[in-house]
Every structure is written in C-alpha cells, then in structure tokens.
Amino acid sequence: MRTAHTLHAGYGLLYIKQEQIMNPIMGGNIYSATLDGWEISWESQKEYRHWCIQKKSNNNRTLLVIMFNPGSLSGDGKNLSGDTTLRILREVCGNAGFNQVILNLFDYANPQTAPLFSNWEKRDLNSNLIFEHLSEFKYDNYIMAYGSYQSDLLYEKDILERINLIQNMLKKDKEIELPRNQNGTPKHPTVWQRQKLKPDITRILSKYREN
C-alpha cells in the first residue's frame, strides 16, 4: 500500500488513515483528505490527475462521472477546497445518495480549459489511459458531464474519438441520462448550478438509487 501524503493546507482538511488509501493505478502519487465529511482520494502525477473518488459513509451507491479535464484539484490538493466542480458533485450526487468516481476525457489538470487547448499535445501523460483500468473502480451507474467542448472545431476530431472510445468501454454499463445542452452535449456541473438545475439532477439520480 502506498504511503498517504498528509495535507496541511485548507480549512476543514483532516488526515486519512493509510489503510484507506488505494494503490496507484497509473504510477502516480496517491493523496487523500477529508472535507465537509467527505473522504476524497486522487492520483496525481506531474501536471496530471488520473482519477478522483469522493465518498461519504452514509452513501450506498457509486456514480462514475465522466468530465472533460481535471480542474483545481491536482498535485497535493492544496486547492481542493476551491474546486467548484467537485463541490457541486458532492452536493448534487451526495443528496441523491451517490459517492462519485470522477474520470476525465483528458488527464491534463488546469482549472481553465484554455491552457489545455494551448498544450493539446500534453492532454494525456502517455498512451496508457485511465479508461483502460475501469475494472479497478466499483460503480453502479455512470453519467456524462464533460460539457460542450466537443463542438470546438479545432479539437473536435480528437475529442469525439475519445468520447467514442469511452462509450464503447462503457456500453455494458447503465448510463443515467441527464438534461443536455441545446447542441446535444452533456451539461457541465457548473451549468447545473448556473441554470438552477441542481435539485432536478438530484431527483433524477435519486430515482436510480431507489431501483
């Protein structure tokens, strides 16, 4: 078992016992913290975050969430409390009784997408993609929540190829379909918040938890 890296920065962060930390999947470093009663673990490596898991003890189901690229949470997690997307997922999915496994189309971490697009050749650490290791994660359903970036003409081909690859890998799993943008792309969690859809999303997820 890899030794946990302890966190000192950020209000509400506590230490997690070493035995609660899962082994690295992608050869990176495992970090873990608690925030507002949630246990949050992730694997980071250089400029990349490969996965993130958010768990609360009273949740009995787990949702796989497919995002676009990691945001503020990367490295040792000093910006964990400022990651708006992860906070919204904890609120919306948590209220429906779901823990979350968060994976991204691309692992290059930055809270803004512009640096990802300007460093497009660095979008993956290497050819070993986290989606080739789905069996390492346990989840009941999945949602797409990566936003409308696939409509960017300069990167559309690469993005659609990655989406198609992931959908093929998930074809035996049960997707929970959520409200979409007008162009047919999944709404990003920050859009859930901006459009005041969080209660609606929670209600949809709750129906699947009860089945």
Side-chain angles (χ1 to χ4, degrees), residues 65-121:
V65 183
I66 309 300
M67 302 296 301
F68 190 71
N69 76 300
S72 298
L73 175 61
S74 61
D76 63 2
K78 61 182 179 181
N79 296 320
L80 170 59
S81 60
D83 196 308
T84 300
T85 300
L86 293 182
R87 176 183 56 77
I88 294 171
L89 288 174
R90 290 194 298 272
E91 177 187 352
V92 174
C93 302
N95 286 342
F98 280 96
N99 297 316
Q100 308 104 54
V101 173
I102 299 114
L103 305 182
N104 292 272
L105 303 184
F106 308 103
D107 284 355
Y108 185 84
N110 197 290
Q112 305 295 325
T113 54
L116 169 62
F117 289 135
S118 62
N119 293 277
W120 193 240
E121 72 284 354

Short mmCIF file of all heavy atoms in Angstrom, two decimals, residues 65-121:
data_model
loop_
_atom_site.label_atom_id
_atom_site.label_comp_id
_atom_site.label_asym_id
_atom_site.label_seq_id
_atom_site.Cartn_x
_atom_site.Cartn_y
_atom_site.Cartn_z
N VAL A 65 -18.52 9.44 -12.98
CA VAL A 65 -18.77 10.74 -13.61
C VAL A 65 -17.67 11.00 -14.63
O VAL A 65 -16.49 11.02 -14.28
CB VAL A 65 -18.81 11.86 -12.56
CG1 VAL A 65 -19.14 13.20 -13.23
CG2 VAL A 65 -19.81 11.55 -11.45
N ILE A 66 -18.06 11.22 -15.89
CA ILE A 66 -17.09 11.49 -16.95
C ILE A 66 -17.05 12.99 -17.20
O ILE A 66 -18.01 13.59 -17.70
CB ILE A 66 -17.46 10.74 -18.25
CG1 ILE A 66 -17.70 9.26 -17.97
CG2 ILE A 66 -16.36 10.94 -19.30
CD1 ILE A 66 -16.51 8.53 -17.40
N MET A 67 -15.91 13.60 -16.87
CA MET A 67 -15.71 15.03 -17.04
C MET A 67 -14.75 15.27 -18.22
O MET A 67 -14.34 14.33 -18.89
CB MET A 67 -15.15 15.64 -15.76
CG MET A 67 -16.02 15.42 -14.53
SD MET A 67 -17.64 16.22 -14.64
CE MET A 67 -17.16 17.92 -14.85
N PHE A 68 -14.40 16.53 -18.45
CA PHE A 68 -13.53 16.87 -19.59
C PHE A 68 -12.06 16.81 -19.21
O PHE A 68 -11.29 16.06 -19.80
CB PHE A 68 -13.88 18.26 -20.13
CG PHE A 68 -13.20 18.57 -21.44
CD1 PHE A 68 -13.60 17.93 -22.60
CD2 PHE A 68 -12.16 19.49 -21.50
CE1 PHE A 68 -12.96 18.19 -23.81
CE2 PHE A 68 -11.53 19.76 -22.70
CZ PHE A 68 -11.93 19.12 -23.86
N ASN A 69 -11.63 17.63 -18.25
CA ASN A 69 -10.28 17.56 -17.74
C ASN A 69 -10.29 18.00 -16.28
O ASN A 69 -11.20 18.71 -15.85
CB ASN A 69 -9.30 18.40 -18.55
CG ASN A 69 -9.43 19.89 -18.27
OD1 ASN A 69 -10.49 20.46 -18.48
ND2 ASN A 69 -8.36 20.51 -17.80
N PRO A 70 -9.32 17.56 -15.47
CA PRO A 70 -9.31 17.93 -14.06
C PRO A 70 -9.16 19.43 -13.88
O PRO A 70 -8.49 20.11 -14.66
CB PRO A 70 -8.09 17.19 -13.50
CG PRO A 70 -7.82 16.09 -14.49
CD PRO A 70 -8.22 16.65 -15.82
N GLY A 71 -9.78 19.96 -12.80
CA GLY A 71 -9.73 21.38 -12.54
C GLY A 71 -8.74 21.75 -11.45
O GLY A 71 -7.56 21.42 -11.53
N SER A 72 -9.22 22.40 -10.39
CA SER A 72 -8.33 22.93 -9.35
C SER A 72 -7.64 21.83 -8.56
O SER A 72 -6.52 22.03 -8.07
CB SER A 72 -9.13 23.83 -8.40
OG SER A 72 -9.65 24.95 -9.08
N LEU A 73 -8.30 20.69 -8.38
CA LEU A 73 -7.68 19.62 -7.60
C LEU A 73 -6.65 18.88 -8.44
O LEU A 73 -6.99 18.16 -9.39
CB LEU A 73 -8.73 18.63 -7.09
CG LEU A 73 -8.16 17.40 -6.36
CD1 LEU A 73 -7.37 17.81 -5.13
CD2 LEU A 73 -9.25 16.42 -6.01
N SER A 74 -5.39 19.08 -8.09
CA SER A 74 -4.29 18.34 -8.71
C SER A 74 -3.14 18.39 -7.72
O SER A 74 -3.23 19.00 -6.66
CB SER A 74 -3.89 18.97 -10.06
OG SER A 74 -3.45 20.31 -9.88
N GLY A 75 -2.04 17.72 -8.06
CA GLY A 75 -0.89 17.72 -7.16
C GLY A 75 -1.27 17.23 -5.78
O GLY A 75 -1.99 16.26 -5.62
N ASP A 76 -0.80 17.96 -4.76
CA ASP A 76 -1.02 17.52 -3.38
C ASP A 76 -2.35 18.00 -2.80
O ASP A 76 -2.64 17.77 -1.63
CB ASP A 76 0.13 17.98 -2.48
CG ASP A 76 0.25 19.50 -2.40
OD1 ASP A 76 -0.59 20.21 -3.01
OD2 ASP A 76 1.19 19.98 -1.74
N GLY A 77 -3.16 18.68 -3.60
CA GLY A 77 -4.50 19.01 -3.17
C GLY A 77 -4.64 20.31 -2.41
O GLY A 77 -5.68 20.54 -1.78
N LYS A 78 -3.66 21.20 -2.52
CA LYS A 78 -3.76 22.46 -1.76
C LYS A 78 -4.94 23.32 -2.22
O LYS A 78 -5.40 24.19 -1.48
CB LYS A 78 -2.45 23.26 -1.89
CG LYS A 78 -2.09 23.68 -3.31
CD LYS A 78 -0.76 24.41 -3.34
CE LYS A 78 -0.37 24.80 -4.75
NZ LYS A 78 0.95 25.49 -4.77
N ASN A 79 -5.44 23.06 -3.44
CA ASN A 79 -6.59 23.82 -3.94
C ASN A 79 -7.90 23.03 -3.88
O ASN A 79 -8.87 23.41 -4.52
CB ASN A 79 -6.33 24.26 -5.39
CG ASN A 79 -5.17 25.22 -5.50
OD1 ASN A 79 -5.00 26.10 -4.66
ND2 ASN A 79 -4.36 25.06 -6.54
N LEU A 80 -7.90 21.95 -3.11
CA LEU A 80 -9.08 21.09 -3.06
C LEU A 80 -10.34 21.85 -2.70
O LEU A 80 -11.38 21.72 -3.35
CB LEU A 80 -8.85 19.95 -2.07
CG LEU A 80 -10.06 19.08 -1.71
CD1 LEU A 80 -10.64 18.42 -2.95
CD2 LEU A 80 -9.67 18.04 -0.67
N SER A 81 -10.28 22.67 -1.65
CA SER A 81 -11.49 23.35 -1.19
C SER A 81 -12.00 24.37 -2.19
O SER A 81 -13.15 24.80 -2.11
CB SER A 81 -11.22 24.03 0.16
OG SER A 81 -10.18 24.99 0.04
N GLY A 82 -11.16 24.76 -3.17
CA GLY A 82 -11.58 25.72 -4.18
C GLY A 82 -12.08 25.10 -5.46
O GLY A 82 -12.39 25.83 -6.42
N ASP A 83 -12.16 23.77 -5.52
CA ASP A 83 -12.61 23.11 -6.75
C ASP A 83 -14.14 23.12 -6.79
O ASP A 83 -14.80 22.29 -6.16
CB ASP A 83 -12.07 21.68 -6.82
CG ASP A 83 -12.18 21.09 -8.22
OD1 ASP A 83 -13.29 21.14 -8.78
OD2 ASP A 83 -11.17 20.60 -8.74
N THR A 84 -14.69 24.05 -7.56
CA THR A 84 -16.15 24.23 -7.61
C THR A 84 -16.86 23.01 -8.17
O THR A 84 -17.92 22.61 -7.66
CB THR A 84 -16.49 25.47 -8.47
OG1 THR A 84 -15.87 26.62 -7.88
CG2 THR A 84 -17.99 25.69 -8.54
N THR A 85 -16.30 22.41 -9.22
CA THR A 85 -16.96 21.26 -9.84
C THR A 85 -17.09 20.10 -8.87
O THR A 85 -18.17 19.49 -8.75
CB THR A 85 -16.19 20.81 -11.09
OG1 THR A 85 -16.15 21.89 -12.03
CG2 THR A 85 -16.85 19.61 -11.74
N LEU A 86 -16.02 19.80 -8.15
CA LEU A 86 -16.08 18.70 -7.18
C LEU A 86 -17.07 19.02 -6.06
O LEU A 86 -17.78 18.13 -5.58
CB LEU A 86 -14.69 18.42 -6.60
CG LEU A 86 -13.66 17.86 -7.57
CD1 LEU A 86 -12.34 17.59 -6.85
CD2 LEU A 86 -14.16 16.59 -8.26
N ARG A 87 -17.13 20.28 -5.65
CA ARG A 87 -18.10 20.67 -4.62
C ARG A 87 -19.53 20.45 -5.09
O ARG A 87 -20.37 19.93 -4.34
CB ARG A 87 -17.89 22.13 -4.22
CG ARG A 87 -18.93 22.62 -3.20
CD ARG A 87 -18.75 24.10 -2.88
NE ARG A 87 -18.81 24.95 -4.06
CZ ARG A 87 -19.93 25.29 -4.69
NH1 ARG A 87 -21.10 24.83 -4.27
NH2 ARG A 87 -19.88 26.08 -5.74
N ILE A 88 -19.83 20.83 -6.33
CA ILE A 88 -21.18 20.64 -6.87
C ILE A 88 -21.51 19.15 -6.95
O ILE A 88 -22.62 18.73 -6.62
CB ILE A 88 -21.30 21.31 -8.24
CG1 ILE A 88 -21.17 22.84 -8.11
CG2 ILE A 88 -22.64 20.96 -8.90
CD1 ILE A 88 -21.06 23.56 -9.43
N LEU A 89 -20.55 18.34 -7.38
CA LEU A 89 -20.79 16.90 -7.45
C LEU A 89 -21.07 16.32 -6.07
O LEU A 89 -21.95 15.47 -5.92
CB LEU A 89 -19.59 16.20 -8.09
CG LEU A 89 -19.40 16.42 -9.60
CD1 LEU A 89 -18.09 15.80 -10.07
CD2 LEU A 89 -20.58 15.86 -10.39
N ARG A 90 -20.32 16.77 -5.06
CA ARG A 90 -20.58 16.28 -3.70
C ARG A 90 -21.99 16.65 -3.26
O ARG A 90 -22.71 15.84 -2.67
CB ARG A 90 -19.55 16.87 -2.72
CG ARG A 90 -18.15 16.34 -2.86
CD ARG A 90 -17.28 16.69 -1.67
NE ARG A 90 -17.10 18.12 -1.49
CZ ARG A 90 -16.14 18.85 -2.06
NH1 ARG A 90 -15.29 18.27 -2.90
NH2 ARG A 90 -16.02 20.14 -1.82
N GLU A 91 -22.40 17.87 -3.56
CA GLU A 91 -23.72 18.32 -3.15
C GLU A 91 -24.83 17.58 -3.89
O GLU A 91 -25.73 16.99 -3.27
CB GLU A 91 -23.85 19.82 -3.40
CG GLU A 91 -25.23 20.38 -3.07
CD GLU A 91 -25.39 21.83 -3.48
OE1 GLU A 91 -24.39 22.47 -3.87
OE2 GLU A 91 -26.53 22.33 -3.42
N VAL A 92 -24.78 17.60 -5.22
CA VAL A 92 -25.88 17.07 -6.02
C VAL A 92 -25.95 15.55 -5.94
O VAL A 92 -27.01 14.97 -5.68
CB VAL A 92 -25.73 17.53 -7.49
CG1 VAL A 92 -26.78 16.86 -8.37
CG2 VAL A 92 -25.85 19.05 -7.58
N CYS A 93 -24.81 14.90 -6.15
CA CYS A 93 -24.80 13.43 -6.13
C CYS A 93 -24.94 12.92 -4.70
O CYS A 93 -25.59 11.90 -4.46
CB CYS A 93 -23.52 12.91 -6.76
SG CYS A 93 -23.27 13.44 -8.47
N GLY A 94 -24.33 13.62 -3.76
CA GLY A 94 -24.43 13.22 -2.37
C GLY A 94 -25.86 13.28 -1.86
O GLY A 94 -26.31 12.40 -1.12
N ASN A 95 -26.60 14.30 -2.24
CA ASN A 95 -28.00 14.41 -1.83
C ASN A 95 -28.86 13.29 -2.41
O ASN A 95 -29.94 13.01 -1.89
CB ASN A 95 -28.57 15.76 -2.24
CG ASN A 95 -28.07 16.90 -1.37
OD1 ASN A 95 -27.55 16.68 -0.28
ND2 ASN A 95 -28.18 18.13 -1.87
N ALA A 96 -28.37 12.67 -3.48
CA ALA A 96 -29.07 11.52 -4.06
C ALA A 96 -28.54 10.19 -3.55
O ALA A 96 -28.98 9.13 -3.99
CB ALA A 96 -28.96 11.57 -5.58
N GLY A 97 -27.57 10.23 -2.62
CA GLY A 97 -27.05 9.01 -2.03
C GLY A 97 -25.93 8.35 -2.81
O GLY A 97 -25.64 7.18 -2.60
N PHE A 98 -25.26 9.10 -3.70
CA PHE A 98 -24.20 8.55 -4.53
C PHE A 98 -22.83 9.09 -4.13
O PHE A 98 -22.63 10.32 -4.02
CB PHE A 98 -24.42 8.91 -6.00
CG PHE A 98 -25.42 8.07 -6.72
CD1 PHE A 98 -26.74 8.48 -6.84
CD2 PHE A 98 -25.05 6.85 -7.30
CE1 PHE A 98 -27.67 7.71 -7.52
CE2 PHE A 98 -25.98 6.07 -7.96
CZ PHE A 98 -27.30 6.50 -8.08
N ASN A 99 -21.87 8.19 -3.93
CA ASN A 99 -20.46 8.55 -3.98
C ASN A 99 -20.09 8.76 -5.44
O ASN A 99 -20.86 8.42 -6.35
CB ASN A 99 -19.60 7.45 -3.37
CG ASN A 99 -19.90 7.24 -1.90
OD1 ASN A 99 -20.05 8.19 -1.14
ND2 ASN A 99 -20.01 5.98 -1.49
N GLN A 100 -18.89 9.29 -5.70
CA GLN A 100 -18.50 9.54 -7.08
C GLN A 100 -17.09 9.05 -7.38
O GLN A 100 -16.18 9.24 -6.57
CB GLN A 100 -18.56 11.04 -7.40
CG GLN A 100 -19.85 11.72 -7.08
CD GLN A 100 -19.72 12.56 -5.83
OE1 GLN A 100 -18.84 13.41 -5.72
NE2 GLN A 100 -20.62 12.36 -4.87
N VAL A 101 -16.95 8.41 -8.53
CA VAL A 101 -15.64 8.16 -9.15
C VAL A 101 -15.56 9.12 -10.33
O VAL A 101 -16.38 9.02 -11.25
CB VAL A 101 -15.50 6.71 -9.62
CG1 VAL A 101 -14.20 6.53 -10.40
CG2 VAL A 101 -15.55 5.74 -8.45
N ILE A 102 -14.62 10.04 -10.30
CA ILE A 102 -14.54 11.06 -11.35
C ILE A 102 -13.34 10.77 -12.24
O ILE A 102 -12.19 10.73 -11.78
CB ILE A 102 -14.41 12.48 -10.75
CG1 ILE A 102 -15.65 12.81 -9.90
CG2 ILE A 102 -14.26 13.52 -11.86
CD1 ILE A 102 -15.38 12.97 -8.45
N LEU A 103 -13.64 10.52 -13.53
CA LEU A 103 -12.61 10.35 -14.55
C LEU A 103 -12.82 11.43 -15.61
O LEU A 103 -13.90 12.00 -15.73
CB LEU A 103 -12.70 8.96 -15.19
CG LEU A 103 -12.63 7.75 -14.25
CD1 LEU A 103 -12.68 6.46 -15.05
CD2 LEU A 103 -11.38 7.80 -13.37
N ASN A 104 -11.77 11.70 -16.36
CA ASN A 104 -11.82 12.78 -17.35
C ASN A 104 -11.44 12.27 -18.73
O ASN A 104 -10.65 11.33 -18.87
CB ASN A 104 -10.87 13.90 -16.95
CG ASN A 104 -11.32 14.62 -15.70
OD1 ASN A 104 -12.08 15.58 -15.75
ND2 ASN A 104 -10.86 14.14 -14.54
N LEU A 105 -12.00 12.91 -19.76
CA LEU A 105 -11.59 12.58 -21.13
C LEU A 105 -10.08 12.70 -21.27
O LEU A 105 -9.43 11.88 -21.90
CB LEU A 105 -12.27 13.50 -22.15
CG LEU A 105 -13.81 13.55 -22.17
CD1 LEU A 105 -14.27 14.45 -23.32
CD2 LEU A 105 -14.41 12.17 -22.29
N PHE A 106 -9.53 13.76 -20.67
CA PHE A 106 -8.10 14.04 -20.74
C PHE A 106 -7.61 14.38 -19.34
O PHE A 106 -8.29 15.08 -18.59
CB PHE A 106 -7.82 15.19 -21.71
CG PHE A 106 -8.45 14.99 -23.07
CD1 PHE A 106 -9.61 15.67 -23.41
CD2 PHE A 106 -7.90 14.09 -23.97
CE1 PHE A 106 -10.21 15.47 -24.65
CE2 PHE A 106 -8.50 13.88 -25.21
CZ PHE A 106 -9.66 14.57 -25.55
N ASP A 107 -6.41 13.90 -18.98
CA ASP A 107 -5.93 13.99 -17.60
C ASP A 107 -5.12 15.24 -17.28
O ASP A 107 -4.73 15.45 -16.14
CB ASP A 107 -5.08 12.75 -17.26
CG ASP A 107 -5.94 11.52 -17.02
OD1 ASP A 107 -7.18 11.65 -17.02
OD2 ASP A 107 -5.37 10.42 -16.83
N TYR A 108 -4.83 16.08 -18.28
CA TYR A 108 -4.06 17.31 -18.04
C TYR A 108 -4.89 18.23 -17.15
O TYR A 108 -6.00 18.61 -17.50
CB TYR A 108 -3.75 17.99 -19.36
CG TYR A 108 -2.86 19.22 -19.25
CD1 TYR A 108 -1.48 19.10 -19.21
CD2 TYR A 108 -3.42 20.49 -19.20
CE1 TYR A 108 -0.67 20.22 -19.12
CE2 TYR A 108 -2.62 21.62 -19.11
CZ TYR A 108 -1.25 21.48 -19.07
OH TYR A 108 -0.45 22.60 -18.98
N ALA A 109 -4.33 18.60 -15.99
CA ALA A 109 -5.10 19.31 -14.98
C ALA A 109 -4.87 20.82 -15.05
O ALA A 109 -3.73 21.28 -15.03
CB ALA A 109 -4.73 18.81 -13.59
N ASN A 110 -5.99 21.56 -15.13
CA ASN A 110 -5.95 23.01 -15.05
C ASN A 110 -7.38 23.50 -14.85
O ASN A 110 -8.29 23.00 -15.52
CB ASN A 110 -5.35 23.63 -16.32
CG ASN A 110 -4.92 25.07 -16.10
OD1 ASN A 110 -5.76 25.96 -15.96
ND2 ASN A 110 -3.61 25.29 -16.09
N PRO A 111 -7.61 24.47 -13.97
CA PRO A 111 -8.99 24.94 -13.75
C PRO A 111 -9.59 25.66 -14.94
O PRO A 111 -10.80 25.85 -15.01
CB PRO A 111 -8.86 25.87 -12.54
CG PRO A 111 -7.42 26.25 -12.49
CD PRO A 111 -6.66 25.08 -13.04
N GLN A 112 -8.75 26.06 -15.91
CA GLN A 112 -9.22 26.69 -17.14
C GLN A 112 -8.94 25.76 -18.32
O GLN A 112 -7.92 25.06 -18.33
CB GLN A 112 -8.53 28.04 -17.37
CG GLN A 112 -8.67 29.01 -16.21
CD GLN A 112 -10.11 29.43 -15.97
OE1 GLN A 112 -10.88 29.58 -16.93
NE2 GLN A 112 -10.48 29.64 -14.72
N THR A 113 -9.82 25.74 -19.31
CA THR A 113 -9.59 24.86 -20.46
C THR A 113 -8.60 25.45 -21.46
O THR A 113 -7.98 24.70 -22.22
CB THR A 113 -10.91 24.56 -21.19
OG1 THR A 113 -11.54 25.80 -21.54
CG2 THR A 113 -11.84 23.75 -20.31
N ALA A 114 -8.42 26.78 -21.45
CA ALA A 114 -7.51 27.40 -22.42
C ALA A 114 -6.10 26.83 -22.34
O ALA A 114 -5.48 26.53 -23.39
CB ALA A 114 -7.50 28.92 -22.24
N PRO A 115 -5.51 26.64 -21.14
CA PRO A 115 -4.17 26.04 -21.08
C PRO A 115 -4.13 24.62 -21.64
O PRO A 115 -3.12 24.21 -22.20
CB PRO A 115 -3.85 26.06 -19.58
CG PRO A 115 -4.67 27.19 -19.04
CD PRO A 115 -5.95 27.13 -19.82
N LEU A 116 -5.23 23.87 -21.47
CA LEU A 116 -5.28 22.52 -22.05
C LEU A 116 -5.22 22.62 -23.57
O LEU A 116 -4.44 21.92 -24.22
CB LEU A 116 -6.55 21.80 -21.62
CG LEU A 116 -6.88 20.49 -22.36
CD1 LEU A 116 -5.79 19.45 -22.14
CD2 LEU A 116 -8.24 19.96 -21.93
N PHE A 117 -6.04 23.49 -24.15
CA PHE A 117 -6.07 23.61 -25.61
C PHE A 117 -4.75 24.15 -26.16
O PHE A 117 -4.31 23.75 -27.24
CB PHE A 117 -7.23 24.50 -26.04
CG PHE A 117 -8.58 23.86 -25.85
CD1 PHE A 117 -9.64 24.58 -25.28
CD2 PHE A 117 -8.80 22.55 -26.21
CE1 PHE A 117 -10.88 23.99 -25.10
CE2 PHE A 117 -10.04 21.95 -26.03
CZ PHE A 117 -11.08 22.68 -25.48
N SER A 118 -4.09 25.04 -25.42
CA SER A 118 -2.81 25.58 -25.90
C SER A 118 -1.66 24.59 -25.70
O SER A 118 -0.57 24.79 -26.23
CB SER A 118 -2.49 26.90 -25.20
OG SER A 118 -2.36 26.72 -23.80
N ASN A 119 -1.90 23.54 -24.91
CA ASN A 119 -0.92 22.46 -24.72
C ASN A 119 -1.55 21.13 -25.12
O ASN A 119 -1.37 20.14 -24.44
CB ASN A 119 -0.47 22.41 -23.26
CG ASN A 119 0.33 23.61 -22.83
OD1 ASN A 119 1.54 23.69 -23.07
ND2 ASN A 119 -0.34 24.58 -22.21
N TRP A 120 -2.25 21.14 -26.22
CA TRP A 120 -3.07 19.99 -26.61
C TRP A 120 -2.26 18.71 -26.74
O TRP A 120 -2.76 17.61 -26.46
CB TRP A 120 -3.79 20.30 -27.92
CG TRP A 120 -4.89 19.33 -28.27
CD1 TRP A 120 -4.99 18.56 -29.38
CD2 TRP A 120 -6.07 19.04 -27.49
NE1 TRP A 120 -6.14 17.81 -29.35
CE2 TRP A 120 -6.83 18.09 -28.20
CE3 TRP A 120 -6.56 19.52 -26.27
CZ2 TRP A 120 -8.04 17.59 -27.74
CZ3 TRP A 120 -7.77 19.01 -25.80
CH2 TRP A 120 -8.49 18.06 -26.54
N GLU A 121 -1.00 18.84 -27.14
CA GLU A 121 -0.16 17.65 -27.29
C GLU A 121 0.13 17.00 -25.93
O GLU A 121 0.58 15.84 -25.87
CB GLU A 121 1.16 18.01 -27.99
CG GLU A 121 2.16 18.80 -27.17
CD GLU A 121 1.79 20.28 -27.02
OE1 GLU A 121 0.81 20.72 -27.65
OE2 GLU A 121 2.49 20.98 -26.26
#
